[in-house]
Each structure stands twice: as structure tokens, then as C-alpha cells.
Amino acid sequence: MAAASARLLGQVGRHALLTQGCNTGYFALAPRISRQGGVRAYGTGGTGFRSKLFNGALIRGGGRTLGCAFLLGGGIGLYQTIKFTFQRHFAEQKADATETTPKLTLYQYKTCPFCSKVRAFLDYSGLPYQIVEVNPVMRQEIKWSKYRKVPILMVDDTVQLNDSSVIISTLKTFLVSKEKTIPQVIICYPEMKSKNDSGKEVIEYNNKYWLMLSEIEADQLYPEKESRKEEMKWRQWADDWLVHLISPNVYRTPSESLASFDYIVREGKFGTFEGFFAKYVGALAMFLISKRLKSRHNLQDDVRQDLYEAVNDWVSAIGKSRKFMGGERPNLADLAVFGVLRVMEGLQSFDDMMENTKVKYWYRRMERAVQHHEGQN
């Protein structure tokens, strides 16, 4: 309706401007409307319509004024039409996005590097999610789950995703391949149970670094021939090596261990007694455990050197010609490494790493990309 009104007012305005220059001495009229409501004709009328109030100059000026008024009205009508159209379009887009975006709830420890990986992916991708901070002592928040580790991601309160790399691969596949639902994707990452060297049963997931895409989708996401293998390699490197350097470094000395637990208690979900116990007893315990971890992972006496070497290996793999491992934009390996390193922020190990390696500029670019949700589109 608004569009039709705009067209009608525009036509009348143009006619009025054209007729004001004629030497007829008659006032320019609006279109005569038939009883059926249709436009019959435009004209100046007969002698009965001769103006008795205005001389010719005023009549011509009046015609110009009327024409401008009609054009102005037409312009306003057109503006309102365009405005309404765009508002409806964006509202429909927002509604579609709401319908297709699943409800996500992340059960986590904030200072856990694996949980940090998932948050980095969610934030970068612009996916809204809720956080449930789990008490690391009692873990009552996940008592309903047979899987007793974090992160756990619940999708629409019905589908449970475990393991940080499985969560990320599942969601990325879902975002790229619009034809698959999350339940359809998750069956591609089957759970496998085995026993580790200590005889303890552990759960692993098959294919967890692989995105379940069609050949066309994979070619669009990975235009470079080796980029997919490269991404998978460094995602696994972040899980199998980089993450194991965190604890020995943040608990390297008694003072660093105490500072780390002060941060953990401050950011985590602890009761008063639990927090006190964790801060002091936990700090001492982890300082001692870090020595065992150093031996288990064959680290150097100065574990900082292992951290520096690992981070510099990562930066060297990116090279000088790329902003990220993914090129102009971060890929899943970038997000994994960033998520792991981020848990050290505010601690001495993080400051030492930033000062003594080449990672600073990449890290700051990643920080901006994640904070600004640059992967949303």
C-alpha cells in the first residue's frame, strides 16, 4: 500500500511541475477520480475552473508549490516503503538465525585449557552460549552425566557433546554443512574405550580432528592443497604436547604455584573452606606433582625452555607470509593453540612467554579476532 501511494504521489507531482509552465492561465489540478476509484485523466479543466483569486504569476507559482508538495509526499512514501522492506528483511533474517542456532550450554572449569579451547571457538564463531561453572571438588553440576570430565556441551538440552576437540569438530561441521544436524554429525565421532599404561580405562574419540564435509564443502573451506592436513596436525599437537607444558610451567616454583592457585580459586567455583584448602594445600601438591609431570613428559630442567621452543615452533610453522595458520583468518588450529595458551594470562609464565618468544603479534591478532567474533560470517 505504501508503495502504491508513493507512485501515485510521484506521478501527480511530476504532472503538476510540467503544467505550471503552460500559458493557459488555469490552475493545475489533481487527477480526477472516477466513482470506481480509478484514475481517469489529468488536465487543466475547462473555463469553469478558471481561478478568480490569483493572477497568472501566482497560479504558476502555486502549481510549482503543489508539484513540490506531491513530490515530497511521494519521496516520503518511498522512504517509508524502503525502510519497512529492510526492517522486515532483517527481522526475517534474525528469526531464521534464531531458529537455526541451537541452544548451547557449556559445563566447564574456567582455567581448564580444554574448556578455554571450546570458548575460543564459540566466541570466534559468534555462537551464543551459557556457562555452568563446575565445582572441581564435588562436581555436583555434572552429577547427571556418566562422563565426569569437562568440557561438556549440551545442545538444546538433549544432545551431549564430550571432549573439546569433538565439540569443536562437530560444531564446525554443523556450521559449514547446513544439510546435517548435530545428532547426525556426532555419530561420526564414535567413542572408544581403552586402558592406558597405568591400567586405567580411558575414553578416546575416533576422527575427532576431521570435519565431516562433502568434497565441495572441503574445497571451499580448505582452498590450499595441504591446509586441511596442516590444521589437523597442529590441532593434535596442541592436545598431545602443548597442553602438557602448561602445568609444569604455572606450578614451576612454590611462589608460581601459589599465584596459580590464587587465580584458580578466584576464577573458579569454590566454597570458602574449599577455596582456602585448594589455594594452599593444592598449591603445594601441584608444585610436587609438576616435578612428576616434568619427568613423565621428558621435559628439560628449566621447563620454560620447552614452552619457548614449542611456541616458537608454532610461530615458525605459520611463517612470515601468513597472519594465522589459516591464512587471513584463523583456522581450528589457531583457535586450539590460542585457547591453550590463554589460560596462563595473568601469570608469570605467560609474561615470560610473551617476552621471550615470537608469539606476541600472532597472539594479539587472535585475541582481537576472538573478542570481535570475526568468524561469525
Side-chain angles (χ1 to χ4, degrees):
M1 182 180 294
S5 301
R7 287 194 295 271
L8 178 60
L9 288 170
Q11 291 171 353
V12 173
R14 286 194 298 273
H15 179 76
L17 286 175
L18 290 172
T19 55
Q20 60 85 25
C22 297
N23 294 322
T24 57
Y26 299 110
F27 189 79
L29 299 178
R32 295 193 289 272
I33 309 299
S34 67
R35 293 180 181 177
Q36 289 77 20
V39 176
R40 180 186 298 173
Y42 288 91
T44 57
T47 56
F49 291 94
R50 185 182 300 274
S51 173
K52 299 179 181 179
L53 300 176
F54 305 103
N55 59 27
L58 289 177
I59 291 173
R60 288 193 294 272
R64 183 181 296 110
T65 302
L66 181 62
C68 291
F70 276 122
L71 283 177
L72 179 61
I76 293 173
L78 181 61
Y79 165 76
Q80 293 295 337
T81 300
I82 295 173
K83 179 180 177 182
F84 171 75
T85 302
F86 275 98
Q87 286 175 339
R88 183 172 62 182
H89 174 68
F90 289 129
E92 290 173 352
Q93 280 190 329
K94 185 175 182 181
D96 291 342
T98 302
E99 291 176 1
T100 57
T101 302
K103 176 187 175 183
L104 305 176
T105 305
L106 177 64
Y107 292 80
Q108 67 154 23
Y109 306 145
K110 184 175 180 180
T111 55
C112 165
F114 296 107
C115 298
S116 180
K117 280 171 50 186
V118 175
R119 291 200 312 274
F121 171 81
L122 294 172
D123 290 335
Y124 175 73
S125 303
L127 293 173
Y129 62 98
Q130 296 177 330
I131 287 178
V132 176
E133 191 69 24
V134 177
N135 181 297
V137 179
M138 302 302 296
R139 294 185 289 181
Q140 287 295 310
E141 294 80 6
I142 55 173
K143 65 180 181 180
W144 47 267
S145 173
K146 293 181 179 179
Y147 183 82
R148 302 296 290 168
K149 298 180 180 180
V150 292
I152 294 173
L153 187 74
M154 290 300 298
V155 182
D156 294 328
D157 297 325
T158 57
V159 180
Q160 180 177 343
L161 304 181
N162 306 324
D163 186 275
S164 61
S165 293
V166 172
I167 291 170
I168 292 169
S169 292
T170 300
L171 292 180
K172 185 64 176 180
T173 299
F174 171 74
L175 292 175
V176 174
S177 180
K178 302 298 184 181
E179 297 180 356
K180 296 185 180 75
T181 64
I182 288 180
Q184 289 172 333
V185 176
I186 192 60
I187 61 175
C188 299
Y189 304 101
E191 180 182 290
M192 300 182 299
K193 294 183 179 180
S194 61
K195 291 185 178 181
N196 60 18
D197 296 338
S198 304
K200 183 179 179 181
E201 186 178 82
V202 294
I203 298 175
E204 191 51 81
Y205 296 87
N206 198 18
N207 307 319
K208 66 180 183 179
Y209 301 111
W210 186 266
L211 301 188
M212 303 303 165
L213 306 175
S214 68
E215 187 174 345
I216 294 176
E217 292 165 343
D219 289 342
Q220 291 175 342
L221 187 61
Y222 303 106
E224 300 295 330
K225 185 177 180 180
E226 298 297 321
S227 58
R228 189 174 196 175
K229 291 182 180 179
E230 183 182 49
E231 179 185 78
M232 294 172 63
K233 169 189 171 182
W234 288 98
R235 287 181 69 191
Q236 185 170 0
W237 173 84
D239 286 351
D240 292 348
W241 178 241
L242 183 63
V243 74
H244 295 301
L245 301 178
I246 303 301
S247 291
N249 273 277
V250 300
Y251 305 125
R252 185 180 63 153
T253 65
S255 60
E256 286 185 83
S257 186
L258 186 61
S260 296
F261 264 88
D262 181 65
Y263 167 68
I264 289 171
V265 170
R266 187 172 64 251
E267 297 294 335
K269 185 176 182 180
F270 291 88
T272 303
F273 175 75
E274 291 173 342
F276 179 85
F277 183 85
K279 181 176 179 180
Y280 294 99
V281 179
L284 177 60
M286 286 308 301
F287 167 68
L288 299 175
I289 290 173
S290 69
K291 305 304 179 184
R292 293 171 52 191
L293 294 175
K294 182 170 68 173
S295 175
R296 179 188 300 176
H297 299 295
N298 298 315
L299 303 182
Q300 301 177 49
D301 288 337
D302 183 3
V303 291
R304 281 287 197 275
Q305 298 306 314
D306 292 290
L307 178 62
Y308 297 161
E309 289 178 13
V311 170
N312 281 331
D313 287 345
W314 164 253
V315 175
S316 296
I318 295 174
K320 296 181 179 180
S321 62
R322 295 187 292 183
K323 293 181 179 179
F324 307 100
M325 179 71 75
E328 290 298 311
R329 304 180 71 179
N331 65 10
L332 298 183
D334 287 291
L335 292 167
V337 174
F338 172 76
V340 170
L341 296 179
R342 182 172 60 172
V343 298
M344 297 190 296
E345 279 199 42
L347 302 176
Q348 184 63 45
S349 53
F350 181 84
D351 296 338
D352 290 346
M353 178 190 71
M354 295 293 272
E355 184 178 347
N356 294 284
T357 71
K358 302 175 182 178
V359 77
K360 180 186 298 183
Y361 298 108
W362 169 85
Y363 188 90
R364 295 308 180 197
R365 286 194 293 268
M366 282 299 304
E367 198 171 42
R368 289 191 295 270
V370 170
Q371 290 176 352
H372 297 157
H373 316 300
E374 291 181 7
Q376 187 167 10
N377 296 322

